[in-house]
Amino acid sequence: MAQDQLKDFHLFAIESALPFGMGIIQNAKTGGLQKIMDVIKSKDPFTEFQVDGEPSAKRVREKIDQLIPGLGYPVVSVDVTVEENYPDYEINDHDSLVSTLNRIDTKLDELRRCLNNDSLKIDN
């Protein structure tokens, strides 16, 4: 359980705190304290700082990942299940494939006719 808490904290730090901090730094570089104060007075300053800092945070995560793979972009466990509840899907898929192949064959025939007609005009 402690391991899960550490992973959760790491994920929070990389995905939320890092872009937030980088956003503050980015705003300080471009507009100084006044720009930071303007963002703080906005409707959702946390999100604005995160959005502003995301490009810089991405570069930092990539550099961290170069040093220690998986640290900059942590692995997140997921549960995957496959449900096969569509028995008629294969029939519909087969019909669709046959229909598409027939349409392609028809278009190729038209293309061949056009090419043959044009090549006859060139020779004359």
Side-chain angles (χ1 to χ4, degrees), residues 21 24 57 62 65 69 79 81 86 95:
I24 291 173
E62 287 171 354
D65 234 20
D79 293 324
T81 58
Y86 305 104
D95 292 344

Side-chain angles (χ1 to χ4, degrees), residues 8-28 35-36 39-40 42-61:
D8 290 344
F9 177 73
H10 178 233
L11 193 61
F12 170 77
I14 291 295
E15 290 185 349
S16 297
L18 180 62
F20 177 76
M22 296 304 289
I24 291 173
I25 292 169
Q26 185 65 31
N27 280 303
K35 187 164 184 183
I36 293 174
V39 173
I40 289 174
S42 71
K43 188 175 182 178
D44 189 6
F46 186 76
T47 302
E48 283 191 43
F49 282 131
Q50 279 188 317
V51 169
D52 292 343
E54 185 56 40
S56 299
K58 182 180 179 191
R59 287 190 297 275
V60 169
R61 285 191 296 262

